[in-house]
Amino acid sequence: MILKVKWKDFKNKIEGHKAEGKALVEKYKSSRTENDLENLKEEKQSWESEVIDYVKTSFEPEHRNFGYEFKEKRGFNTGFKLPIAQKIRNTIEALKSEINGLAYYVKSLSISDAIVRIDEIDLEERKNLDTDGRLDLVLSKLYELYDDRKYHSIKWILEGNGVEMKIHGEDWDYGKMLENRGFVDILTTKDTGARLTLEGKYAIEQARKVKVTDYSKISSSVEELKELIKKVLSEIEKLGYGQQIIFDEFDELREDIPNLDKKSFGQLLKAKLYDLVSQKAFDKALASEIFKQFTDQVLPF
């Protein structure tokens, strides 16, 4: 599904529809008669039809499910005959909910590059993102949606940004990886939803301040790196972190040193530290301190 009209024009049109909906609320909020109720229902239905028709036809192929997703399905059946004034209030509340839903829909679309700004991205590059790239993409889009404090479908975020989901449950795996790092809270229903934690928000902001990790201060000496690994392991052990997995990971790193340049060594070190934190072998503060000993930089989380 791709937006056929310009994103700016689409947003402006939706803002106009929202304003019309709010005008209806103002017009009927003090109404009390049967005639007012019927007029409200008629005008609300006409407004809904205009919104649905515009949104549906703005996409290629047409967004035929929008009408079902958009219309408020709230029920107020209490078993008693409601007074006219209450029926009007209920109808107005349903209208308000649809206006809010329209705002949320536009906000969700705003982070979907492959839908609303496909000409501005390299779709082939998005399709070929590795796991780190996909996790970074999810985090960056959740950052844009942080203030609403809602859970957002990871599947929607990825597919709406040109990433194909080929494995069932893959969205849950991504969510758990980010949750284990403390970056998101997740909620699983039909799809896995995620919302950014304050820690995740902070990590993104810090990462954006230091967009590129500088690996130039890593030693070029194989022996110096091996000696530093030995020193680090000794310090870790003194702090009471003695799990075998820690020593196994650093043994692998030490064996790989002769085959790695500075950048490759730094990237491998970073990946191993992230894995050890996610497996709760030690905490983020220690991982960051270890990274700093090799690179003179703080490890972003």
Side-chain angles (χ1 to χ4, degrees):
M1 186 175 73
I2 298 172
L3 187 65
K4 295 191 297 184
V5 300
K6 290 183 178 179
W7 173 236
K8 182 180 179 181
D9 294 340
F10 182 84
K11 285 195 300 180
N12 289 339
K13 185 70 173 179
I14 294 300
E15 285 300 318
H17 284 307
K18 284 167 57 183
E20 291 167 0
K22 290 175 182 178
L24 279 181
V25 171
E26 287 299 311
K27 180 179 179 180
Y28 288 100
K29 66 180 182 181
S30 300
S31 298
R32 295 290 184 271
T33 69
E34 182 81 41
N35 189 52
D36 286 336
L37 176 61
E38 292 307 311
N39 288 338
L40 170 59
K41 286 182 176 179
E42 184 177 324
E43 290 184 51
K44 175 176 175 287
Q45 186 175 24
S46 175
W47 176 79
E48 289 170 341
S49 295
E50 287 181 16
V51 172
I52 291 169
D53 184 63
Y54 176 72
V55 173
K56 182 179 70 174
T57 57
S58 292
F59 292 90
E60 179 63 45
E62 288 190 355
H63 190 180
R64 295 186 177 277
N65 290 334
F66 175 75
Y68 177 80
E69 297 166 358
F70 167 65
K71 292 189 72 172
E72 172 62 31
K73 303 168 187 64
R74 181 181 306 183
F76 294 95
N77 185 8
T78 63
F80 299 97
K81 186 175 181 180
L82 296 174
I84 296 299
Q86 185 61 52
K87 289 182 178 179
I88 290 175
R89 282 195 292 271
N90 291 349
T91 304
I92 286 176
E93 286 305 309
L95 176 57
K96 286 180 178 178
S97 181
E98 289 176 345
I99 294 169
N100 291 335
L102 198 55
Y104 177 73
Y105 177 71
V106 171
K107 192 166 187 178
S108 296
L109 277 179
S110 71
I111 57 99
S112 304
D113 298 338
I115 297 175
V116 301
R117 54 183 71 86
I118 193 167
D119 294 335
E120 300 175 23
I121 64 169
D122 186 335
L123 203 54
E124 199 59 35
E125 180 180 307
R126 287 285 176 89
K127 289 178 181 178
N128 293 319
L129 283 177
D130 61 11
T131 302
D132 268 343
R134 293 182 178 202
L135 294 176
D136 286 345
L137 179 60
V138 171
L139 285 174
S140 69
K141 297 304 181 182
L142 287 176
Y143 182 83
E144 294 179 43
L145 300 167
Y146 179 79
D147 290 340
D148 66 25
R149 306 312 297 139
K150 297 179 183 292
Y151 288 87
H152 299 273
S153 167
I154 292 176
K155 183 178 180 182
W156 165 270
I157 290 173
L158 288 172
E159 292 184 341
N161 284 282
V163 178
E164 295 179 2
M165 301 283 286
K166 297 179 180 179
I167 302 173
H168 178 69
E170 193 175 4
D171 56 335
W172 184 87
D173 291 331
Y174 292 134
K176 287 302 292 183
M177 289 177 73
L178 294 173
E179 184 181 52
N180 288 339
R181 295 181 186 178
F183 293 165
V184 304
D185 297 319
I186 64 172
L187 178 68
T188 302
T189 51
K190 181 181 178 182
D191 294 328
T192 297
R195 68 178 181 187
L196 201 64
T197 61
L198 181 58
E199 188 170 358
K201 180 175 181 284
Y202 177 74
I204 291 172
E205 290 168 349
Q206 292 303 108
R208 289 179 177 180
K209 289 177 184 177
V210 186
K211 292 184 178 180
V212 179
T213 302
D214 181 8
Y215 298 108
S216 64
K217 293 187 179 180
I218 294 175
S219 174
S220 301
S221 168
V222 172
E223 293 308 314
E224 284 183 10
L225 288 176
K226 287 183 177 181
E227 191 61 32
L228 186 52
I229 288 175
K230 182 179 177 181
K231 177 187 172 186
V232 165
L233 289 175
S234 176
E235 291 174 354
I236 290 173
E237 199 166 16
K238 288 177 183 177
L239 291 170
Y241 297 97
Q243 295 94 322
Q244 187 59 43
I245 186 174
I246 298 174
F247 295 94
D248 290 344
E249 290 285 3
F250 278 95
D251 283 343
E252 289 181 9
L253 182 62
R254 180 164 40 217
E255 291 172 6
D256 285 335
I257 289 174
N259 305 315
L260 302 172
D261 58 22
K262 290 185 178 185
K263 182 177 180 180
S264 298
F265 175 85
Q267 290 175 331
L268 184 57
L269 172 63
K270 183 189 291 186
K272 288 186 177 296
L273 290 172
Y274 280 145
D275 287 342
L276 288 168
V277 169
S278 69
Q279 295 178 61
K280 296 181 169 56
F282 46 63
D283 59 26
K284 295 172 184 176
L286 181 56
S288 188
E289 182 57 35
I290 292 170
F291 191 72
K292 189 175 182 179
Q293 289 194 47
F294 287 92
T295 66
D296 200 31
Q297 292 192 63
V298 174
L299 179 64
F301 279 95

